[in-house]
Amino acid sequence: MMNFKLTDEQQSVKEMVRKFVDKEIIPNIQEWDRQGHFEPVILKKLADLQVMGVCIPEEYGGAGMDYNTLAIVCEELERGDTAYRTAVSVHTGLNSMTLLQWGTEQQKQTYLVPQAQGQKIGAFGLTEPNAGSDVAAMNTTAARKGDYYILNGSKTWISLCDVADHFLIFAKTDHDIGHKGITAFIVERSFEGVETKAIKGKLGIRAGNTGEVFLTDVKVPVENRLGEEGEGFKIAMAALDNGRFTVAAGAVGLIEASLEASLNYCHERKTFGKEIGKHQLVQQMIAKMSANLEISRLLVFKAGWLKNQGKRNTQETSLAKWISCNAAFDAANDAVQIHGAYGYSDEYPVERFLRNSKAPVIYEGTREIHTIMQGEYALGYREDKPLRKQLPAWPFEQVSVSK
Ligand SMILES: Cc1cc2nc3c(=O)[nH]c(=O)nc-3n(C[C@H](O)[C@H](O)[C@H](O)COP(=O)(O)OP(=O)(O)OC[C@H]3O[C@@H](n4cnc5c(N)ncnc54)[C@H](O)[C@@H]3O)c2cc1C
């Protein structure tokens, strides 16, 4: 049976996050964006609302809600700004959900519980100066020395780099076997040899924190290895199934924000004696935005529905991410067009939407990588096989979370 209605619980989370965004983010975001200021208090307040661990089981400190509630949170956050949705994508989607899927019981107790409660913040370090889409080209190394690994290298374009307490770092334990030589590690900021530095001059998400992580002879205990040696690539790709899901959901929020702003302006602005909304070419832009809002949201909820059932969803999540991020970019671009010259200034939020909408077309798989993936799925060159560890199905009590 199909049901497109939000549950009462999902509806109340949606309303709660919307109210929060309207009160705490929207009135301040223009100034934060101008100043390039990331406001950590927002994460603390989101933690108080149990948003930072919204879909993490209660036994691990989370709110225990379903995966589509995470999508709803991301949609509402990005209606306000991409920066705080990105923070939840990274902390919850890429880091905490990966610990939930792959972590040992000890790792979950030590790292997942405080992250789900929002007391500690997690980040995700995969990209390097010479390795973005081509993950296997990474140069960061992890050499085993007794009960430790010694990590050396650097990561770049890491969201929350200056804010995070814990990093999931991917490094090569074997340099000669490509992606099969990658291993995942939980690295604490407090470990000696970890340094971070923000990147300045970004096109968008200026209110977000993004930068470099430098690792110099960092001693990481063996018990902080996530999964097995050589399993890092699979773990990274599984993490992206969750990160991309949140990015896609956020894009839905950006389309909605672009549409809302455009509808208001269409009724407000008159040319040639009528509201600009009465001109058919303007209606065409509005129609495309409103169709893409619906299409994107449905694709996201389908991926979330698969997650709730504990099924692999790489194909569906990639499709949702690809379509909705492109649609968000188009929606923001058309929103600026509808606002004419006013859209070109920060008097209206749409120029920020346009600048913010570009990064999600690049991160967590570029537009081109997702196009290739979808082509390969259609042609039968790619298929999703079961993983050694799956994200637990929801409701959580019906499954035994791996210990
Ligand atoms: C704001 C922001 C936040 C980010 N946050 C994080 C984070 O938290 N953690 C993290 O690990 N990374 C993060 N990233 C990095 C991001 O994931 C990478 O930028 C992305 O994977 C692309 O890698 P790249 O920039 O090296 O581009 P490249 O891989 O060098 O690609 C350059 C161009 O070539 C194209 N291309 C590459 N390979 C192919 C191919 N096979 N076929 C066709 N075209 C191809 C790409 O589509 C792109 O257009 C972030 C990036 C941004 C902008």
Side-chain angles (χ1 to χ4, degrees):
M1 193 172 81
M2 271 189 258
N3 186 351
F4 294 101
K5 192 172 176 292
L6 300 189
T7 63
D8 290 348
E9 202 173 41
Q10 288 170 336
Q11 187 61 38
S12 75
V13 170
K14 187 175 175 74
E15 283 163 19
M16 175 187 78
V17 180
R18 180 165 289 222
K19 221 164 117 193
F20 176 84
V21 166
D22 285 345
K23 180 164 172 262
E24 304 282 349
I25 297 181
I26 291 180
N28 299 312
I29 194 64
Q30 186 192 49
E31 207 41 48
W32 290 343
D33 188 80
R34 274 183 186 159
Q35 291 171 6
H37 173 69
F38 179 78
E39 181 49 65
V41 171
I42 293 291
L43 297 190
K44 289 204 169 61
K45 291 184 177 173
L46 287 173
D48 292 342
L49 298 175
Q50 287 195 297
V51 161
M52 302 302 278
V54 64
C55 62
I56 302 298
E58 288 170 85
E59 67 174 306
Y60 294 121
M65 295 186 189
D66 83 310
Y67 298 113
N68 271 330
T69 308
L70 172 65
I72 290 163
V73 163
C74 290
E75 183 182 324
E76 290 303 324
L77 283 177
E78 191 150 354
R79 209 186 120 255
D81 193 68
T82 308
Y84 295 96
R85 192 277 304 149
T86 299
V88 169
S89 288
V90 169
H91 169 84
T92 310
L94 288 172
N95 190 318
S96 298
M97 288 169 79
T98 308
L99 297 183
L100 177 65
Q101 183 169 353
W102 299 91
T104 61
E105 186 58 20
Q106 192 199 336
Q107 289 168 343
K108 286 176 191 164
Q109 294 301 337
T110 310
Y111 295 106
L112 178 57
V113 171
Q115 286 183 196
Q117 293 168 341
Q119 290 166 359
K120 298 282 182 190
I121 299 300
F124 184 79
L126 185 64
T127 305
E128 297 188 3
N130 293 312
S133 310
D134 186 5
V135 172
M138 72 169 58
N139 284 318
T140 296
T141 56
R144 177 95 186 237
K145 292 265 153 50
D147 291 340
Y148 290 89
Y149 288 88
I150 308 297
L151 268 61
N152 277 292
S154 68
K155 298 286 170 181
T156 191
W157 288 104
I158 306 307
S159 303
L160 299 179
C161 73
D162 294 323
V163 180
D165 303 285
H166 309 148
F167 298 87
L168 268 189
I169 295 287
F170 296 84
K172 284 212 173 133
T173 38
D174 187 334
H175 238 288
D176 302 327
I177 51 173
H179 70 273
K180 291 191 172 150
I182 298 172
T183 304
F185 298 92
I186 303 166
V187 176
E188 295 185 29
R189 171 181 298 281
S190 60
F191 290 174
E192 214 182 315
V194 177
E195 281 178 80
T196 61
K197 187 174 168 233
I199 292 171
K200 301 284 177 205
K202 288 180 296 180
L203 171 70
I205 321 187
R206 290 186 182 164
N209 171 251
T210 324
E212 295 169 279
V213 179
F214 303 98
L215 304 153
T216 313
D217 291 330
V218 181
K219 264 176 94 177
V220 180
V222 168
E223 59 263 27
N224 279 30
R225 188 187 69 216
L226 189 67
E228 304 297 331
E229 268 197 21
E231 211 170 21
F233 184 79
K234 278 193 180 146
I235 294 175
M237 295 305 119
L240 288 170
D241 284 348
N242 300 324
R244 287 168 178 170
F245 174 66
T246 63
V247 174
V252 174
L254 192 72
I255 301 170
E256 187 168 6
S258 301
L259 181 60
E260 263 175 31
S262 300
L263 291 176
N264 288 338
Y265 197 73
C266 279
H267 292 307
E268 194 182 299
R269 180 77 174 171
K270 288 196 174 73
T271 64
F272 303 97
K274 53 188 176 188
E275 288 182 2
I276 59 167
K278 298 277 183 189
H279 299 302
Q280 286 186 344
L281 287 176
V282 174
Q283 288 173 6
Q284 187 177 44
M285 291 187 270
I286 295 289
K288 189 172 146 206
M289 271 184 229
S290 88
N292 280 338
L293 175 62
E294 196 68 13
I295 292 165
S296 302
R297 192 181 270 139
L298 288 172
L299 289 174
V300 169
F301 283 153
K302 183 178 174 194
W305 176 78
L306 288 166
K307 286 179 199 295
N308 281 343
Q309 295 179 67
K311 296 205 169 126
R312 272 209 74 176
N313 51 83
T314 305
Q315 180 176 0
E316 293 78 6
T317 298
S318 155
L319 183 65
K321 195 271 180 189
W322 178 47
I323 296 297
S324 60
C325 291
N326 285 346
F329 179 75
D330 287 346
N333 194 18
D334 281 346
V336 170
Q337 193 67 23
I338 286 171
H339 283 70
Y342 293 99
Y344 200 69
S345 93
D346 70 359
E347 188 182 336
Y348 286 88
V350 290
E351 62 83 36
R352 178 168 49 84
F353 298 163
L354 178 57
R355 289 186 290 100
N356 283 353
S357 70
K358 189 61 195 173
V361 181
I362 295 170
Y363 62 44
E364 304 218 21
T366 64
R367 179 180 63 197
E368 291 69 36
I369 293 300
H370 287 291
T371 307
I372 290 167
M373 284 174 71
Q374 292 304 318
E376 287 179 351
Y377 280 121
L379 286 158
Y381 300 155
R382 177 188 279 265
E383 59 171 327
D384 296 336
K385 299 198 183 100
L387 293 167
R388 186 171 71 78
K389 292 195 176 191
Q390 279 291 358
L391 194 65
W394 188 89
F396 295 122
E397 52 276 8
Q398 286 175 4
V399 293
S400 58
V401 178
S402 65
K403 300 223 161 174

